[in-house]
Amino acid sequence: MDAASFGSATFDRGRRNGAPRSLDARASTVPVVATEPAVVRYALVGVALAFLVLFLFAPLAFVFVQALRKGVDVYLAAIGEPDAVSALKLTLLVAAIAVPLNLVFGVAAAWTIAKFSFPGRNVLVTLIDLPFSVSPVVSGLIFVLVFGLQGWFGGYLREHDLKVIFAVPGIVLATVFVTFPFVARELIPLMQAQGTEQEEAATVLGASGWQTFFRVTLPNIKWGLLYGVILCNARAMGEFGAVSVVSGHIRGATNTLPLHVEILYNEYQFSAAFAVASLLALLALVTLALKLAVERRTRDDRSLATDQAKAATEVNR
């Protein structure tokens, strides 16, 4: 036997005995653990903590300190002022209208994109991301140009004594525009990870479209849906740019909480401004707590959906 035959036979015996085929194959099976020196790890953690303290915790604490600086009585008087109460009611009203509308749109858009393939699907995904790339001020200006008295529909609105701009409808439209990607963008990857096997099985068993949605799809996306609603609600209550353009800053009528804070601050009523701002901060903290709770459940649902999709793929093979 020559050297080439002996090498080939030895290699074949090694393969039959379970020996690795190559050094690359052996390297691919060895777990790679990336370690950094302790100094680097501590430095990175310290930079992250310093950033959070400087740009998050310190401003938040400053808001509450300034709000209570002149005492609890002044604080309660500031948040109980009629204009502040009106701004709070308008903020909650706008959120109560915009969030359900975005919930319906987000679920419909996510279901359509994740469960079906159709011409223009990528265009729809791009349009959903449009508010993320357009400045809120620009979006508010667009509504002024369309629904203002000198806009495209200005003549019709004037003839029928309808007001959109500088009124509650304009604030709702602007808020809906800047917040509608949140629910859809949260649900699209979740539904895509879950696949269509369960819906197809329900259809084969005789379930109607609505039955499939309410009994199969909705239970699988409930935590992701709630997470998107929380983010949408937080943005709706804190929106400033687009609402500032279309509201007109009419006290007691079209001022939301962020706009009311700006007016108080510009009038040098600092204690009242920080008192009202503390309400927004409290709403943000409550939203953050809900977000963290739902995020944990959403992460578990996504992991389960990914495992189910992998199992279905293996069965199909």
Side-chain angles (χ1 to χ4, degrees):
M1 180 182 295
D2 58 8
S5 300
F6 176 79
S8 177
T10 304
F11 181 73
D12 290 340
R13 285 198 304 272
R15 290 177 59 182
R16 288 195 298 269
N17 293 333
R21 297 185 180 183
S22 64
L23 293 176
D24 293 338
R26 183 186 305 172
S28 64
T29 60
V30 177
V32 178
V33 180
T35 59
E36 298 291 343
V39 176
V40 176
R41 295 199 301 269
Y42 292 145
L44 292 176
V45 172
V47 170
L49 290 177
F51 185 88
L52 289 176
V53 170
L54 184 62
F55 293 100
L56 180 61
F57 298 130
L60 187 62
F62 182 78
V63 169
F64 287 99
V65 169
Q66 291 296 318
L68 298 170
R69 186 165 59 91
K70 293 186 177 180
V72 178
D73 294 337
V74 176
Y75 177 84
L76 295 178
I79 63 177
E81 185 187 11
D83 289 341
V85 173
S86 176
L88 176 61
K89 290 181 179 179
L90 180 59
T91 301
L92 296 177
L93 174 64
V94 171
I97 297 174
V99 173
L101 290 177
N102 285 323
L103 185 150
V104 174
F105 167 79
V107 172
W111 196 17
T112 303
I113 292 171
K115 303 298 182 179
F116 303 97
S117 179
F118 54 91
R121 181 170 175 268
N122 293 331
V123 176
L124 180 58
V125 174
T126 303
L127 291 177
I128 290 175
D129 291 336
L130 185 62
F132 288 147
S133 59
V134 176
S135 170
V137 175
V138 174
S139 64
L141 181 60
I142 292 173
F143 286 111
V144 172
L145 295 176
V146 174
F147 297 105
L149 294 180
Q150 306 300 324
W152 293 351
F153 301 104
Y156 176 85
L157 296 174
R158 185 169 52 251
E159 292 175 1
H160 294 80
D161 194 23
L162 299 175
K163 292 190 66 176
V164 175
I165 303 302
F166 306 148
V168 175
I171 298 174
V172 172
L173 285 175
T175 304
V176 168
F177 177 81
V178 299
T179 57
F180 78 75
F182 288 97
V183 176
R185 262 303 169 193
E186 182 61 31
L187 292 181
I188 289 174
L190 178 60
M191 288 186 171
Q192 287 176 336
Q194 290 174 348
T196 61
E197 289 81 7
Q198 296 183 18
E199 284 83 358
E200 291 173 354
T203 302
V204 171
L205 294 175
S208 63
W210 288 112
Q211 288 176 330
T212 301
F213 174 75
F214 284 108
R215 297 186 180 183
V216 178
T217 304
L218 188 59
N220 290 333
I221 65 171
K222 58 183 178 182
W223 293 111
L225 178 61
L226 183 57
Y227 182 71
V229 167
I230 291 174
L231 294 179
C232 179
N233 182 70
R235 178 62 187 274
M237 290 190 298
E239 174 56 31
F240 179 84
V243 173
S244 178
V245 175
V246 301
S247 70
H249 296 269
I250 304 173
R251 283 195 172 188
T254 62
N255 269 347
T256 58
L257 279 180
L259 301 182
H260 188 59
V261 171
E262 181 200 24
I263 289 177
L264 292 175
Y265 193 85
N266 290 336
E267 294 179 349
Y268 302 102
Q269 301 182 40
F270 299 124
S271 297
F274 282 108
V276 178
S278 68
L279 293 179
L280 285 173
L282 288 174
L283 292 174
L285 292 176
V286 172
T287 301
L288 179 62
L290 293 174
K291 172 181 173 292
L292 291 176
V294 174
E295 190 176 29
R296 182 175 301 176
R297 297 298 301 267
T298 305
R299 190 184 304 115
D300 295 340
D301 281 4
R302 281 180 173 175
S303 299
L304 179 60
T306 303
D307 294 340
Q308 291 176 348
K310 289 181 179 179
T313 303
E314 292 178 358
V315 170
N316 292 333
R317 289 178 181 178

